[in-house]
Amino acid sequence: MWFDPMCPWAWITSRWLLEVEQVRDVDVRFHVMSLSVLNEGRDVPERYQQMLESGWGPVRVCIAVEQQHGPDAVRALYTAMGTRIHLGKEELGRELFAAALTDAGLDPELAEAAESTAYDEALRASHEAGMRPVGADVGTPVVHAPGPDGDPVAFFGPVVTPRPKGEAAGRLWDGVLLVAGTPGFYELKRFRQAAPTFE
């Protein structure tokens, strides 16, 4: 799954995938995409633009961790960071990043990466790897998975709230793979009637 730590919908999907791991033969790996990179050069509302400007920090910290400690560390950091952002409603910034790094058993000094462009090339490469198969007209979450013939399939979503748990999580996974693995299938969507629920 490709995520931006700021996106509440990606956070819910990530917690659903961890439920899926418990009931299906699935190994979830987390990778970084960036809403800030995705929206570069786009005409977006000023409020959203301000959010995108603050969005560089968390993804840079995640990429720094991936580069120095690998994907398992990214998984732990995403859980720590997302818990603080989405459940704790903490303000983005060095204090949050350092605390999340500490929660994940990592060096809090890596929070300095938030203000550095040193990892931007790796960030853009990770973003591109996640988004290339689905196109630039979607955001996060993006999931890559093995299709019915073993070839990979990639898709945006699912966007769901609250996350299904237990066998219900597994059934949603089965259905998502079914439609994503169907040649020529592109979209299934309905009006979103609820705000993100982090149960």
Side-chain angles (χ1 to χ4, degrees):
M1 177 184 151
W2 272 257
F3 70 93
D4 184 310
M6 294 196 314
C7 178
W9 299 105
W11 172 252
I12 295 169
T13 299
S14 74
R15 302 307 96 179
W16 162 68
L17 285 171
L18 296 181
E19 290 280 333
V20 172
E21 258 189 344
Q22 305 304 310
V23 295
R24 296 292 185 271
D25 185 17
V26 171
D27 176 21
V28 181
R29 298 177 189 171
F30 293 105
H31 306 276
V32 182
M33 67 82 68
S34 169
L35 292 170
S36 300
V37 170
L38 182 70
N39 288 285
E40 280 182 315
R42 292 184 179 179
D43 185 21
V44 297
E46 183 177 344
R47 184 175 175 196
Y48 192 66
Q49 184 60 43
Q50 291 171 352
M51 186 273 296
L52 294 174
E53 288 170 11
S54 65
W56 287 96
V59 291
R60 284 171 170 163
V61 172
C62 288
I63 286 290
V65 165
E66 181 182 62
Q67 294 282 298
Q68 294 189 30
H69 298 286
D72 289 343
V74 172
R75 177 177 173 137
L77 178 60
Y78 183 30
T79 292
M81 195 179 284
T83 298
R84 289 179 174 275
I85 293 170
H86 303 296
L87 305 183
K89 306 296 184 193
E90 296 180 26
E91 185 176 344
L92 286 181
R94 182 182 170 84
E95 185 176 325
L96 182 152
F97 305 144
L101 286 159
T102 300
D103 293 345
L106 299 161
D107 183 355
E109 291 301 315
L110 283 168
E112 293 179 4
E115 302 299 326
S116 170
T117 59
Y119 295 96
D120 284 8
E121 184 176 345
L123 169 61
R124 291 177 186 280
S126 178
H127 175 91
E128 171 66 16
M131 303 306 290
R132 187 184 315 113
V134 293
D137 292 332
V138 300
T140 181
V142 166
V143 175
H144 297 193
D149 58 1
D151 290 334
V153 294
F155 49 87
F156 166 73
V159 174
V160 60
T161 191
R163 77 180 188 274
K165 299 176 183 176
E167 184 55 26
R171 286 195 305 272
L172 177 57
W173 175 251
D174 298 339
V176 166
L177 284 189
L178 178 65
V179 297
T182 300
F185 181 87
Y186 293 106
E187 189 168 354
L188 176 68
K189 190 170 184 177
R190 62 182 170 187
F191 177 70
R192 198 181 303 167
Q193 297 176 312
T197 303
F198 306 116
E199 297 175 0

